[in-house]
Amino acid sequence: MGAARGPEGRHDPPGRQGGFVVEWREAFRTGIADLDAEHQQLFALVKGLEPDKATQLLAALVEYIVTHFTHEEALMARSGYPGLRQHVEMHEALSARVSEFLVGGTGWSGERVQALRSFLNKWLVEHILTHDLAFGRWYHAAVPETEPLPLREEPEGSWFDRLRGKR
């Protein structure tokens, strides 16, 4: 049967469950260095999901998703991005879907891990190409290059606070 082929015809290494693994591409670049680095890390964490390490890897992935969403939303808020509310709603919808995956099964079979990996890859690609790139274009037009806003200053009511019910 042979190794599964991923996008662009790459073979997955032996032992990998399924073939849908998306790698970071330059087309995903927003031009905001910190966001791009975090997006790259998200792709790496999704790619690394494996059934035998799923529990600990998922904990790290969820923690990183919370961190990234908090950073991204804080930057959007401080820059006055008009699409912030819609963007927050998309992040919250992803959070709900990931929660369903986390509680929606017993054990992390190869099939279940691959379903989560496929979902996350698809969501990341679509979200970055459609919404994050739009924010990047808006940000570069709205924020003078001489005054870039820090990414890591967290506003009141961050994504993590909302996740924990502290609006």
Side-chain angles (χ1 to χ4, degrees):
M1 172 145 92
R5 286 189 181 265
E8 300 174 2
R10 290 186 314 275
H11 287 282
D12 284 330
R16 267 247 187 278
Q17 300 294 322
F20 188 66
V21 176
V22 177
E23 303 276 344
W24 169 260
R25 295 183 181 105
E26 286 298 309
F28 301 149
R29 189 168 300 284
T30 64
I32 303 168
D34 288 338
L35 289 185
D36 291 335
E38 288 182 359
H39 288 156
Q40 289 177 44
Q41 181 63 21
L42 285 170
F43 278 103
L45 288 167
V46 171
K47 180 180 178 181
L49 287 175
E50 294 294 336
D52 59 338
K53 300 177 191 171
T55 302
Q56 64 262 35
L57 293 174
L58 283 168
L61 176 62
V62 168
E63 183 177 328
Y64 201 80
I65 287 171
V66 169
T67 298
H68 169 65
F69 284 178
T70 300
H71 292 165
E72 188 173 81
E73 290 174 13
L75 183 60
M76 289 177 170
R78 285 192 314 282
S79 67
Y81 183 55
L84 173 62
R85 182 77 180 122
Q86 178 188 18
H87 210 93
V88 168
E89 290 171 0
M90 286 181 266
H91 287 172
E92 290 173 347
L94 174 69
S95 172
R97 185 69 177 111
V98 169
S99 293
E100 290 172 14
F101 266 105
L102 295 178
V103 299
T106 57
W108 285 99
S109 66
E111 184 176 290
R112 186 166 173 228
V113 168
Q114 182 56 27
L116 177 58
R117 188 187 307 138
S118 294
F119 166 75
L120 289 171
N121 275 316
K122 183 176 188 244
W123 191 91
L124 279 170
V125 168
E126 289 177 3
H127 183 77
I128 290 170
L129 289 176
T130 303
H131 304 285
D132 289 347
L133 289 181
F135 170 64
R137 286 187 299 273
W138 179 89
Y139 179 84
H140 291 295
V143 177
E145 285 188 38
T146 57
E147 301 176 26
L149 296 174
L151 178 63
R152 291 185 171 38
E153 184 180 307
E154 295 185 19
E156 288 184 37
S158 69
W159 186 85
F160 189 64
D161 288 339
R162 289 192 308 277
L163 181 66
R164 296 186 336 217
K166 295 182 178 181
R167 290 187 190 261

